[in-house]
């Protein structure tokens, strides 16, 4: 699929369109976002470190940890075949196994981790933030490789609240999973340069 910016503003798509396209895409409010080019080495390294750290913790909790590419379909009417939101979070933690099917995850994961890159930072901080908040992702972590920080957002009474910002020398503490702690020095240890 080749979408020109002017076409993106007019046309709205669903999961049924999305599955026919070549390449990696995401849909937010029916608007397609091309996932090319491939992520940088720094970006992939950080995603890999997060996956290893979280998989070890969640294996004993009965939750599944999945790395992108992995479709998360979100829809107001739970009509996932016609979903106008299809995203591929860098890391998804899903504790309700009934949400996982052959086509991905139907409904919100419990925890989402997005690693910023120059091409995705605005989308991760704006469109995806609002989408995850709207659909009830319980905790959302935004990892900034350039500044070596992690922003932790959790569900409050009126939507997301920034719970904390953790730096490279800190131990991240989850608010959703009280016994989940991650040393950020281990996540960022071998990273040089930008995301």
């Amino acid at each position: 699929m080749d979408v020109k910016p002017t076409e993106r503003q007019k046309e709205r798509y669903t999961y049924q369109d999305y599955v026919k396209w070549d390449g990696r895409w995401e849909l937010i409010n029916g608007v397609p976002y091309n996932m090319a080019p491939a992520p940088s080495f720094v970006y992939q390294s950080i995603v890999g470190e997060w996956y290893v750290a979280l998989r070890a913790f969640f294996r004993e909790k009965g939750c599944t940890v999945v790395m992108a590419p992995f479709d998360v379909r979100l829809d107001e009417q739970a009509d996932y075949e016609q979903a106008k939101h299809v995203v591929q979070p860098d890391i998804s933690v899903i504790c309700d196994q009934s949400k996982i099917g052959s086509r991905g995850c139907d409904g919100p994961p419990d925890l989402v981790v997005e690693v910023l890159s120059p091409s995705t930072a605005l989308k991760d901080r704006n469109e995806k933030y609002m989408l995850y908040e709207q659909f009830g992702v319980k905790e959302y972590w935004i990892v900034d490789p350039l500044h070596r920080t992690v922003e932790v957002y959790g569900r409050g009474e009126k939507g997301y609240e920034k719970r904390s910002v953790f730096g490279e020398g800190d131990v991240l503490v989850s608010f959703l999973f009280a016994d989940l702690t991650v040393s950020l020095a281990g996540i960022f240890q071998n990273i040089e340069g930008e995301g």
Side-chain angles (χ1 to χ4, degrees), residues 42 46 143-150 165-170 184-185 187-194:
V42 168
I46 292 174
V143 181
D144 184 339
L146 180 60
H147 297 102
R148 298 179 185 221
T149 60
V150 181
V165 177
F166 297 93
E168 179 178 12
D170 295 331
L184 296 187
I187 299 293
F188 293 117
Q189 67 186 347
N190 295 318
I191 305 305
E192 295 298 327
E194 298 183 23

Side-chain angles (χ1 to χ4, degrees), residues 2-62:
D2 184 27
V3 179
K4 297 179 177 70
T6 54
E7 292 172 351
R8 279 177 43 169
Q9 296 169 1
K10 297 177 195 172
E11 196 75 33
R12 295 289 189 236
Y13 299 92
T14 69
Y15 181 75
Q16 289 299 310
D17 302 305
Y18 168 91
V19 295
K20 299 173 188 169
W21 302 336
D22 294 326
R24 285 187 57 210
W25 294 85
E26 289 186 313
L27 275 179
I28 299 175
N29 292 315
V31 176
Y33 293 85
N34 191 336
M35 301 291 285
S40 70
F41 171 76
V42 168
Y43 177 98
Q44 285 297 94
S45 295
I46 292 174
V47 170
E49 292 293 335
W50 276 113
Y51 176 76
V52 169
L54 294 175
R55 186 168 181 258
F57 175 82
F58 283 106
R59 179 181 287 156
E60 296 178 12
K61 305 284 185 200

Side-chain angles (χ1 to χ4, degrees), residues 129 133 152-164:
Y129 175 99
E133 181 180 45
V152 175
Y153 295 90
R155 304 270 315 152
E157 289 182 21
K158 297 180 180 179
Y160 276 155
E161 298 173 357
K162 185 185 277 188
R163 301 297 175 104
S164 197

Side-chain angles (χ1 to χ4, degrees), residues 75-185:
D75 188 75
E76 290 83 354
Q77 283 75 44
D79 181 1
Y80 298 111
E81 291 301 311
Q82 296 298 322
K84 62 181 180 178
H85 312 287
V86 185
V87 290
Q88 295 186 357
D90 292 318
I91 304 284
S92 300
V93 177
I94 305 145
C95 296
D96 179 352
Q97 300 303 306
S98 70
K99 292 182 179 181
I100 301 173
S102 62
R103 294 189 171 199
C105 178
D106 292 338
D110 294 272
L111 167 65
V112 165
V113 179
E114 294 283 10
V115 178
L116 301 179
S117 71
S119 63
T120 67
L122 287 176
K123 182 176 61 167
D124 291 343
R125 288 189 178 282
N126 294 301
E127 288 89 354
K128 282 190 166 182
Y129 175 99
M130 290 185 286
L131 188 70
Y132 297 151
E133 181 180 45
Q134 174 189 348
F135 282 93
V137 173
K138 295 174 186 170
E139 197 162 284
Y140 179 34
W141 299 356
I142 298 176
V143 181
D144 184 339
L146 180 60
H147 297 102
R148 298 179 185 221
T149 60
V150 181
E151 298 167 37
V152 175
Y153 295 90
R155 304 270 315 152
E157 289 182 21
K158 297 180 180 179
Y160 276 155
E161 298 173 357
K162 185 185 277 188
R163 301 297 175 104
S164 197
V165 177
F166 297 93
E168 179 178 12
D170 295 331
V171 173
L172 181 147
V173 178
S174 168
F175 293 87
L176 178 60
F177 302 96
D179 53 341
L180 171 56
T181 59
V182 181
S183 168
L184 296 187

